């Protein structure tokens, strides 16, 4: 990848003191336009680069987690990917998924037909920043040359596959098997969840409750055999649901055929679970413990819509 | 009896034990049993295959395809809601209306398909009206078996008899339908007398049905407009097929494929509606019984029966009716029919009937048809429709136990067999209307 990527030590910016992310993006785009000759950029102007990254960032913030942000864009006419990294003196808000400010920003522009490169670079940076030691080492390097050399060796060399760990979201809500059903539905509504993991106290994943499951609790089996119900106007199937809700817990209604993958599961495996086996969520587990989750929106957001 | 007969009987008995106890799926047991008789060289391979009646299988596959496509239109929900509306939400008229509709549909369609379509909407209507669902469910199964008795295509025993005898669709209409009308009338009177006080509906519940919109039940009017005329054409095809020496199975199968084209249904979706378990069950049983027949068991039994009845058609017919009725209740209508068909053939061959009485011997087929179809109502295990209804009921938290079903099944079966005996005697022996 390294040979196909425009990334020199001039594109490593250290000790920046820019408190606003929009200003930072502009600054990094300028650096990129300065370091990469117009001929190498296929005639793509600095303004086009800037507008493209800005537009993508306005669609959805690209702050990841562990202090890393990844502003990026796909640009028609760009002959090869160009990368610029910035280490900040003080962390700034980048709308990161873990809610924390970021102090390392990776700006990447790729040819329109090569979004997979953006995905791989993002995965590799996310993996690097997921490792506390490696992250600390990167942040401790004193000069641009060392950072460039480290990234070129550590991040940009291997042609690795995107795995579950790269795109998963840290688990932020789960329920215990003894949670009353009433509370389960409240959690799901509050966090806007299609599916919620049922987890023992030690983090072991034991089941999943989906919206579909909750709906079918209120729908007796025979409804699934009918072709329509619009001919009946006065009948309330949820009467039974509410009658049962009082004494039911998550354990009683959870399903155990949830999708669980190890952290090194490939993107293909994940999409297979979501698209072919029609699970609304894939749980990422390590030794039976839940360490992350990937849902359809997350794949759209981080993979397809990159 | 030869050793081959004994071994064939042993394989049959073991297979049967698996079928009845459901330790493994009955269809799997039947196919493995069928394969076993060939492996043990109790019958040559090609002879066993000859006994797999493709016409019967074609008929079932074709009709299941046709009905599966029609069911997607919401037609059956429409029928049930219309009946509920016409009954104005009153319990007894609704019960009678629904079981009559089930009987008529079962006469034209496969029974299992009919109950799978009717039972869910029946449960919905009983829940809306707040009346007990279980009598409706059990009686739906029972009347689907009674209704199916009326035609060649209605009940599996009739389909099997039609496949192995010279009798055609019209013969069944002429001989079986009057019997079924008699039995339906008697059974409905019994149902009315038993349930007339148990079906009271609260006025506010009745109002819910009166506010129903049956037309909204039709989910695909275009498919219905295309498919329904073809369905009636297929029925006409059954009635005239013997003139062209075409078997009903081919009419049904070709009709099913035409239905696929005309309604623009993907073939894969259409054939998914076929109950392949039933098809495999029959394939296995055909081969199993073929071994018994090949080794001469039915010649022996037929000869014995002919001697015991002294060649009397009346005694033979009544014996066939009650024996097939009791056996169907205990062992299931399909295997009993497959086993008894060669016995009827052997009896006719060995009873030494004079030439002028040969046509009268058909009474034995009618006796077998009535006995097997109606006897299947005695227990849950009697017919596939009974089993399916009980399964759907259980999924919806209505527990119908074996004995609970028999409380309804046994009296109505006895009534049906008594009325059948009267019908056979009066029509064929007293009035001699062959």
């Amino acid at each position: 990848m390294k040979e196909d990527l425009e990334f020199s030590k001039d594109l490593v910016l250290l000790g920046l003191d820019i408190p606003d992310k929009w200003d930072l993006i502009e600054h990094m785009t300028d650096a990129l336009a300065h370091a990469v000759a117009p001929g190498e950029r296929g005639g793509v102007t600095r303004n086009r680069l800037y507008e493209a990254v800005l537009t993508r960032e306005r669609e959805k913030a690209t702050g990841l987690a562990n202090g890393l942000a990844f502003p990026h864009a796909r640009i028609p006419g760009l002959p090869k990917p160009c990368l610029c990294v910035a280490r900040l003196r003080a962390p700034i808000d980048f709308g990161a998924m873990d809610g924390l400010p970021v102090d390392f920003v990776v700006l990447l522009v790729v040819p329109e037909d090569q979004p997979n490169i953006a995905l791989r670079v993002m995965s590799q940076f996310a993996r690097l920043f997921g490792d506390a030691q490696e992250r600390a080492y990167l942040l401790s390097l004193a000069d641009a040359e060392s950072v460039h050399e480290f990234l070129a060796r550590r991040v940009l060399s291997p042609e690795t596959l995107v795995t579950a760990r790269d795109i998963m979201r840290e688990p932020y809500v789960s329920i215990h098997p003894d949670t009353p059903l009433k509370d389960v539905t409240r959690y799901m509504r509050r966090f806007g969840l299609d599916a919620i993991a049922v987890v023992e106290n030690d983090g072991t994943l034991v089941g999943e409750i989906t919206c579909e499951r909750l709906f079918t609790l209120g729908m007796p089996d025979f409804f699934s055999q009918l072709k329509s119900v619009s001919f009946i106007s006065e009948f309330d199937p949820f009467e039974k649901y509410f009658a049962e809700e009082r004494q039911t817990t998550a354990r009683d209604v959870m399903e155990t055929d949830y999708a669980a993958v190890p952290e090194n599961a490939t993107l293909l495996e994940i999409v297979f679970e979501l698209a072919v086996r029609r699970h609304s969520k894939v749980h990422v587990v390590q030794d039976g413990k839940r360490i992350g989750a990937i849902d359809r929106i997350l794949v759209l957001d981080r993979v397809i819509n990159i | 009896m030869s050793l081959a007969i004994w071994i064939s009987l042993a394989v049959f008995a073991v297979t049967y034990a698996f079928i009845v106890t459901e330790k493994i799926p009955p269809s799997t047991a039947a196919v493995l049993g069928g394969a076993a008789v060939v492996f043990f060289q109790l019958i040559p391979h090609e002879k066993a295959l000859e006994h797999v009646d493709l016409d019967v299988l074609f008929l079932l596959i074709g009709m299941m395809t046709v009905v599966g496509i029609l069911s997607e239109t919401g037609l059956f929900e429409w029928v049930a809601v219309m009946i509920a509306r016409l009954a104005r939400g009153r319990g007894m008229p609704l019960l009678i209306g629904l079981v009559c509709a089930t009987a008529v549909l079962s006469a034209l369609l496969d029974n299992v398909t009919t109950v799978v379509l009717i039972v869910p909407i029946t449960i919905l209507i009983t829940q809306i009206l707040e009346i007990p669902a279980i009598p409706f469910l059990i009686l739906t199964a029972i009347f689907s078996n009674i209704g199916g008795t009326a035609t060649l295509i209605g009940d599996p025993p009739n389909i099997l008899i039609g496949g192995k005898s010279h009798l055609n669709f019209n013969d069944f209409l002429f001989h079986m339908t009057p019997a079924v009308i008699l039995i339906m009338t008697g059974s409905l009177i019994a149902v009315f007398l038993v349930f007339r006080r148990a079906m009271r509906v609260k006025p506010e519940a009745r109002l819910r049905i009166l506010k129903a919109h049956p037309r909204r039940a039709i989910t695909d009017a275009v498919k219905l407009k295309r498919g329904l005329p073809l369905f009636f054409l297929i029925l006409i095809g059954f009635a005239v097929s013997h003139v062209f020496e075409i078997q009903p199975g081919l009419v049904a199968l070709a009709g099913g494929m035409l239905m696929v084209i005309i309604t623009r249904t993907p073939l894969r979706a259409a054939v998914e509606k076929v109950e392949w378990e039933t098809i495999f069950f029959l394939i296995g049983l055909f081969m199993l019984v073929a071994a018994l027949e090949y080794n001469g068991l039915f010649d022996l039994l037929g000869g014995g029966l002919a001697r015991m009845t002294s060649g009397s058609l009346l005694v033979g017919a009544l014996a066939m009716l009650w024996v097939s009725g009791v056996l169907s209740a205990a062992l299931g209508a399909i295997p009993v029919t497959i086993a008894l068909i060669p016995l009827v053939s052997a009896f006719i061959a060995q009873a030494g009937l004079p030439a002028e009485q040969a046509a009268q011997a058909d009474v034995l087929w009618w006796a077998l048809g009535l006995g097997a179809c109606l006897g299947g109502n005695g227990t849950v295990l009697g017919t596939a429709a009974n089993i399916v209804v009980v399964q759907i009921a259980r999924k919806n938290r209505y527990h119908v136990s074996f004995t609970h079903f028999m409380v309804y099944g046994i009296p109505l079966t006895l009534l049906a067999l008594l009325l059948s005996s009267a019908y056979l005697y009066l029509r064929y022996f007293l009035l001699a209307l062959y």
Side-chain angles (χ1 to χ4, degrees):
Chain A
M1 188 193 304
K2 155 168 83 168
E3 293 75 21
D4 303 333
L5 186 76
E6 195 64 53
F7 179 53
S8 64
K9 67 176 190 308
D10 296 339
L11 288 168
V12 177
L13 314 174
L14 299 184
L16 293 188
D17 192 9
I18 302 175
D20 179 74
K21 79 168 178 178
W22 306 109
D23 292 342
L24 177 65
I25 288 171
E26 185 165 17
H27 184 83
M28 292 177 78
T29 318
D30 284 342
L32 216 147
H34 192 257
V36 184
E40 296 288 307
R41 286 184 256 137
V44 176
T45 62
R46 174 262 179 209
N47 280 356
R48 270 187 60 203
L49 290 175
Y50 175 59
E51 284 300 327
V53 179
L54 213 60
T55 305
R56 173 64 186 86
E57 190 65 28
R58 281 191 192 121
E59 277 176 13
K60 192 162 190 306
T62 56
L64 297 175
N66 302 312
L68 175 70
F70 191 77
H72 58 274
R74 292 162 62 178
I75 297 174
L78 190 71
K80 60 176 170 179
C82 306
L83 178 76
C84 175
V85 300
R87 200 168 72 195
L88 308 180
R89 186 161 293 168
I92 65 170
D93 178 35
F94 229 101
M97 285 180 305
D98 59 3
L100 299 173
V102 307
D103 53 7
F104 200 92
V105 179
V106 178
L107 187 143
L108 178 71
V109 285
V110 293
E112 177 148 55
D113 58 352
Q114 296 179 15
N116 51 321
I117 293 185
L119 184 60
R120 282 189 192 163
V121 173
M122 183 182 76
S123 312
Q124 287 163 341
F125 271 100
R127 216 174 289 177
L128 174 73
F129 274 72
D131 184 325
Q133 276 188 339
E134 297 254 58
R135 179 175 180 276
Y137 179 72
L138 173 63
L139 297 181
S140 73
L141 291 172
D143 55 84
E145 197 161 350
S146 312
V147 171
H148 178 264
E149 192 274 327
F150 175 76
L151 290 179
R153 175 171 48 81
R154 177 66 186 77
V155 179
L156 303 177
S157 287
E159 288 276 342
T160 48
L161 287 170
V162 178
T163 65
R165 180 160 199 99
D166 302 326
I167 56 170
M168 73 182 195
R169 180 183 281 143
E170 300 285 323
Y172 61 96
V173 59
S174 61
I175 46 164
H176 189 268
D178 295 330
T179 310
L181 187 57
K182 207 172 184 175
D183 295 338
V184 175
T185 51
R186 275 194 192 139
Y187 279 126
M188 292 178 76
R189 189 190 59 77
R190 187 170 148 206
F191 293 103
L193 298 175
D194 237 10
I196 192 165
V198 185
V199 175
E200 294 286 4
N201 287 334
D202 65 354
T204 306
L205 181 66
V206 291
E208 181 186 67
I209 298 175
T210 59
C211 281
E212 198 181 328
R213 174 81 181 120
L214 292 177
F215 292 159
T216 52
L217 276 183
M219 292 292 242
D221 180 77
F222 66 84
F223 273 96
S224 64
Q225 308 290 325
L226 298 174
K227 303 298 171 281
S228 90
V229 288
S230 50
F231 48 86
I232 292 295
S233 49
E234 293 194 9
F235 188 60
D236 180 8
F238 284 96
E239 203 176 312
K240 201 173 94 194
Y241 169 81
F242 290 121
E244 286 181 4
E245 185 202 41
R246 265 171 260 143
Q247 59 267 21
T248 309
T249 65
R251 192 190 303 279
D252 302 323
V253 299
M254 71 185 189
E255 291 163 296
T256 50
D257 62 339
Y258 50 80
V261 297
E263 59 181 334
N264 61 356
T266 61
L267 189 56
L268 183 64
E269 290 174 82
I270 294 159
V271 173
F272 185 81
E273 291 292 341
L274 295 173
V276 180
R277 300 189 64 195
R278 298 190 173 276
H279 289 288
S280 56
K281 184 177 274 189
V282 175
H283 302 280
V284 185
V285 293
Q286 191 177 37
D287 302 327
K289 309 267 193 299
R290 181 168 175 262
I291 59 167
I294 300 165
D295 58 28
R296 291 169 183 175
I297 296 296
L298 198 65
V299 173
L300 277 184
D301 187 34
R302 295 198 185 170
V303 179
I304 296 172
N305 195 30
I306 194 141
Chain B
M1 285 209 295
S2 70
L3 183 63
I5 292 181
W6 283 113
I7 300 173
S8 303
L9 272 174
V11 175
F12 189 81
V14 170
T15 309
Y16 221 86
F18 279 110
I19 291 173
V20 174
T21 56
E22 294 188 27
K23 292 280 183 201
I24 55 174
S27 312
T28 319
V31 172
L32 287 176
V37 292
V38 178
F39 287 145
F40 295 152
Q41 301 192 333
L42 297 167
I43 181 171
H45 182 231
E46 59 278 12
K47 285 277 174 203
L49 291 189
E50 270 173 27
H51 279 79
V52 176
D53 193 331
L54 281 183
D55 193 50
V56 169
L57 302 182
F58 285 178
L59 183 56
L60 285 167
I61 293 170
M63 287 309 282
M64 286 172 183
T65 307
V66 167
V67 179
I69 293 173
L70 283 181
S71 74
E72 289 300 314
T73 63
L75 173 67
F76 299 95
E77 282 86 349
W78 179 83
V79 169
V81 177
M82 274 304 285
I83 288 169
R85 278 283 301 268
L86 289 172
R88 305 191 66 75
R90 286 169 299 164
M92 183 48 73
L94 175 70
L95 179 63
I96 289 175
L98 279 179
V99 296
C100 285
T102 304
V104 172
L105 286 170
S106 288
L108 304 176
L109 315 172
D110 162 61
N111 281 5
V112 172
T113 311
T114 304
V115 297
V116 165
L117 295 169
I118 290 293
V119 164
I121 184 71
T122 301
I123 294 177
L124 177 64
I125 292 172
T126 57
Q127 288 197 356
I128 290 169
L129 292 176
E130 299 173 26
I131 48 178
I134 288 180
F136 278 82
L137 302 184
I138 296 177
L139 291 171
T140 297
I142 288 173
F143 276 82
S144 83
N145 294 325
I146 295 176
T149 313
T151 65
L152 184 151
I153 56 169
D155 257 0
N158 287 359
I159 296 174
L160 292 164
I161 292 168
K164 293 287 182 190
S165 67
H166 62 282
L167 303 166
N168 63 42
F169 186 81
N170 297 341
D171 293 328
F172 274 83
L173 273 186
F174 187 65
H175 292 272
M176 296 289 262
T177 306
V180 168
I181 292 171
L182 176 69
I183 294 158
M184 281 276 291
T185 310
S187 304
L188 285 173
I189 291 170
V191 166
F192 177 78
L193 293 175
V194 173
F195 290 103
R196 67 189 187 283
R197 293 187 200 286
M199 293 291 162
R200 301 234 187 270
V201 182
K202 286 188 263 177
E204 63 268 26
R206 284 179 56 192
L207 203 60
R208 290 182 204 144
I209 285 295
L210 294 174
K211 285 182 181 173
H213 307 283
R215 281 185 68 179
R216 289 194 195 160
I218 301 296
T219 52
D220 193 338
V222 176
K223 193 177 262 191
L224 186 62
K225 277 180 191 159
R226 288 178 177 172
L228 209 52
L230 177 59
F231 175 67
F232 288 112
L233 268 179
I234 294 169
L235 293 183
I236 293 169
F238 289 139
V240 299
S241 62
H242 67 280
V243 177
F244 304 101
E245 296 186 351
I246 297 170
Q247 292 296 311
L250 199 59
V251 174
L253 197 61
M257 294 305 110
L258 278 177
M259 188 70 87
V260 166
I261 295 168
I262 285 175
T263 59
R264 294 176 189 163
T265 305
L267 182 59
R268 180 179 285 266
V271 296
E272 272 174 10
K273 306 283 180 190
V274 175
E275 294 147 33
W276 292 104
E277 293 94 336
T278 307
I279 304 299
F280 282 112
F281 185 60
L282 287 173
I283 290 172
L285 282 178
F286 280 137
M287 291 166 73
L288 264 176
V289 175
L292 296 174
E293 190 178 352
Y294 180 77
N295 291 304
L297 176 70
F298 297 112
D299 288 337
L300 279 176
L301 292 178
L305 191 64
R307 277 193 300 281
M308 275 167 60
T309 56
S310 315
S312 160
L313 270 184
L314 175 61
V315 179
L318 291 179
M320 185 56 65
L321 174 76
W322 284 88
V323 167
S324 60
V326 172
L327 287 178
S328 287
L331 304 174
I334 292 176
V336 166
T337 310
I338 293 179
L340 289 180
I341 283 172
L343 186 62
V344 172
S345 301
F347 178 86
I348 291 172
Q350 297 189 28
L353 295 172
E356 67 275 12
Q357 275 191 27
Q360 298 167 11
D362 286 347
V363 69
L364 290 170
W365 293 117
W366 308 133
L368 173 61
L370 288 168
C373 293
L374 301 169
N377 271 334
T379 68
V380 173
L381 295 178
T383 70
N386 300 354
I387 295 170
V388 168
V389 167
V390 171
Q391 282 169 346
I392 300 177
R394 191 179 303 143
K395 276 189 192 168
N396 288 285
R397 302 186 187 184
Y398 297 109
H399 185 66
V400 181
S401 67
F402 196 82
T403 47
H404 198 163
F405 192 95
M406 281 169 62
V407 168
Y408 292 72
I410 295 289
L412 285 173
T413 302
L414 286 175
L415 176 66
L417 290 178
L418 281 171
L419 290 172
S420 299
S421 304
Y423 173 79
L424 290 175
Y425 173 69
L426 289 173
R427 175 165 178 169
Y428 298 104
F429 297 97
L430 194 68
L431 302 173
L433 296 172
Y434 291 102

